[in-house]
Amino acid sequence: MARTEQPRSTATFDYVVVGTGAAGSIVAARLSEDPGVTVCALESGPPDRHPYIHIPVGFIKIMFNEAYTWQFKTEPAPGVNGRSVIVPVGRTVGGSSSINGMIINRGQADDFNSWAQRGNRGWGYADLLPYFKRFERRIGDGDDTYRGRDGNIPVTDLDWHHEICEAFLEGAEGLGIPRNRDYNGASQPGCGYLQRNIYKGLRRSAGRMYLLPAQKKSQRIDLRTHARAFKILFEGKKAVGVRYVDERNRTIHEVKARREVIICGGTVNSPRLLQLSGVGSGELLRSLGVEVIHELPAVGENFRDHCSVRLVARAKNSKTINEITRGPALVGQVLRWLAGMPSVIGVSPSLAYCFWKSDPNISGADLQAVFAPASYKEGFTAWKISASSTPR
Ligand SMILES: Cc1cc2nc3c(=O)[nH]c(=O)nc-3n(C[C@H](O)[C@H](O)[C@H](O)COP(=O)(O)OP(=O)(O)OC[C@H]3O[C@@H](n4cnc5c(N)ncnc54)[C@H](O)[C@@H]3O)c2cc1C
């Protein structure tokens, strides 16, 4: 279908938000708190009704489900020995917060402060702390100087423990890495159990905790799923709307914004949409036949992700998650989960962590290891480090 086709429908809102992931869900929800404001939220993927989105252990399945994810792959890169690395990204209401590892780790103060020191005013830790506190409802220990108690996203401690995790942490302590009771508190380095956005046995995504309740409450968010934006509409250099394709029937539609168009498509898709709309490197856009609206060479450049190396070890004299999730044992775990009891069905893919230093002279942590008493299919959780009894 030619992208120049006339739109099948046009509508006008105060704000148009592209993408309903972690960012878009919160932005749309907060904007809708303003009485009289109308918001259109466009989401390329389907609604988030698949049960594997919400059952924590379902991440194993949903992360590679093409209906609910974008399965990007990097170009072969010299730093990874010429390999392409899979980059799965959420594609449903809640975006990647509907398919991710459910770990709540806000990052360390030093990192944010280094951003501010490089001239990014407003990005120091003290600037961001009120927002970190505002989004979370910490359930469990924590110093209220750092932790929020009234936010939308419940942050809980692990309720399902495993002896091999404890052995991992004792090993870390033996290497001089102290236990840290709250890595989202005063300081990050140390080891311990991860905090999660899992509550009462279910994943609590940004879609479920922000967007959908706000839509119900305000009745002023028009959420359009299966709606993939492919062009930002400009009047001069001002974004005034978005053109999207309804992925179900390939029809083209247009939504206009009286106030702002806000792009929350994620790290890969936001720059892609900007480039398709004429914002980016003029040389590149011209070479692809895209009319240049605004020359901004950094768009689409400098992508960085956190690579991880997965180590798998054989465990003795203990049942790992692999064994616990097979046959009759799995039935028992499902029944426990249904009864609201701690169960392997309600755990995040990683359970324990170390944040530590590659050099004792470094003030913060520059290394992260996460641990699970499980092994996954090769290439599966490439961003995690796991240990296991059953390497595959
Ligand atoms: C596999 C995986 C595991 C992760 N684990 C963790 C973790 O344990 N803890 C943690 O804190 N973070 C984790 N993350 C990172 C975290 O999920 C992301 O940082 C966060 O979701 C980014 O938010 P976002 O709103 O920028 O993008 P996303 O949440 O990815 O949302 C972008 C949304 O925009 C939609 N979209 C994109 N383009 C268009 C378009 N053109 N038109 C309409 N809609 C569009 C997408 O479909 C998607 O729904 C993980 C991420 C992944 C992928």
Side-chain angles (χ1 to χ4, degrees):
M1 174 182 296
R3 289 289 161 75
T4 48
E5 184 192 321
Q6 282 308 302
R8 185 77 67 88
S9 73
T10 307
T12 304
F13 300 84
D14 291 312
Y15 296 94
V16 173
V17 178
V18 176
T20 63
S25 286
I26 296 178
V27 167
R30 298 277 292 129
L31 288 170
S32 76
E33 288 171 16
D34 201 348
V37 158
T38 57
V39 180
C40 178
L42 299 178
E43 172 51 54
S44 172
D48 65 342
R49 292 199 199 103
H50 197 298
Y52 287 155
I53 293 174
H54 307 289
I55 302 171
V57 80
F59 89 97
I60 292 171
K61 300 275 184 198
I62 207 71
M63 209 177 86
F64 289 107
N65 183 326
E66 291 192 3
Y68 294 91
T69 55
W70 308 79
Q71 292 292 325
F72 293 121
K73 253 185 152 186
T74 64
E75 292 293 324
V80 285
N81 200 22
R83 286 171 296 183
S84 286
V85 178
I86 304 167
V87 184
V89 172
R91 184 167 171 264
T92 180
V93 171
S96 299
S97 81
S98 291
I99 67 141
N100 72 13
M102 296 164 280
I103 295 169
I104 296 290
N105 167 29
R106 64 174 63 157
Q108 56 187 338
D110 286 354
D111 290 338
F112 297 111
N113 290 338
S114 76
W115 294 0
Q117 281 154 12
R118 279 180 241 162
N120 299 296
R121 287 178 61 182
W123 288 94
Y125 189 62
D127 303 307
L128 298 178
L129 185 56
Y131 300 98
F132 285 131
K133 290 177 71 174
R134 191 193 285 180
F135 94 82
E136 72 172 358
R137 178 156 58 91
R138 170 72 179 136
I139 299 166
D141 281 352
D143 175 349
D144 288 356
T145 315
Y146 302 100
R147 306 309 305 260
R149 300 281 174 185
D150 313 313
N152 290 35
I153 305 281
V155 180
T156 59
D157 291 319
L158 202 69
D159 60 355
W160 183 89
H161 289 277
H162 195 284
E163 57 193 351
I164 307 183
C165 288
E166 206 39 47
F168 170 79
L169 293 174
E170 280 169 16
E173 283 182 295
L175 292 170
I177 303 174
R179 292 238 187 179
N180 183 345
R181 283 180 67 85
D182 185 8
Y183 62 92
N184 286 313
S187 92
Q188 192 190 55
C191 67
Y193 289 103
L194 288 160
Q195 298 169 13
R196 316 96 31 93
N197 51 316
I198 296 173
Y199 181 55
K200 296 193 171 171
L202 295 175
R203 174 196 292 275
R204 305 294 170 161
S205 71
R208 287 287 163 129
M209 296 291 102
Y210 276 94
L211 181 62
L212 298 179
Q215 185 195 26
K216 198 167 165 197
K217 188 172 170 201
S218 74
Q219 301 285 320
R220 282 179 276 103
I221 301 177
D222 185 339
L223 169 60
R224 301 186 179 191
T225 52
H226 303 280
R228 182 170 51 79
F230 61 87
K231 194 172 181 51
I232 305 165
L233 304 169
F234 286 95
E235 275 174 19
K237 292 209 173 190
K238 186 174 178 222
V240 294
V242 166
R243 207 166 258 206
Y244 71 87
V245 57
D246 184 326
E247 302 269 29
R248 290 164 299 192
N249 54 18
R250 313 300 299 161
T251 52
I252 307 287
H253 303 264
E254 209 169 84
V255 278
K256 294 272 183 67
R258 277 183 285 267
R259 297 194 191 175
E260 282 178 39
V261 175
I262 302 164
I263 309 299
C264 300
T267 319
V268 178
N269 279 311
S270 284
R272 175 157 85 167
L273 179 59
L274 287 169
Q275 288 175 328
L276 286 171
S277 309
V279 179
S281 149
E283 195 184 328
L284 176 72
L285 298 186
R286 274 187 289 273
S287 76
L288 296 168
V290 177
E291 184 197 349
V292 179
I293 303 286
H294 184 70
E295 167 103 40
L296 205 55
V299 173
E301 298 294 323
N302 304 316
F303 177 83
R304 292 173 78 178
D305 204 348
H306 58 131
C307 272
S308 301
V309 179
R310 185 160 61 119
L311 306 175
V312 181
R314 190 174 293 276
K316 282 188 203 150
N317 307 325
S318 181
K319 285 199 167 107
T320 66
I321 288 179
N322 299 71
E323 283 106 33
I324 298 167
T325 51
R326 272 192 213 123
L330 176 60
V331 177
Q333 291 295 324
V334 171
L335 292 174
R336 286 178 64 83
W337 179 76
L338 287 171
M341 294 160 73
S343 157
V344 74
I345 307 298
V347 298
S348 46
S350 308
L351 280 66
Y353 74 89
C354 291
F355 292 112
W356 203 236
K357 313 159 189 221
S358 59
D359 184 317
N361 297 318
I362 294 174
S363 70
D366 64 342
L367 296 175
Q368 174 182 9
V370 290
F371 179 87
S375 70
Y376 304 103
K377 221 161 58 182
E378 195 177 339
F380 195 82
T381 50
W383 78 103
K384 307 278 184 223
I385 300 174
S386 320
S388 157
S389 66
T390 49
R392 290 179 216 161

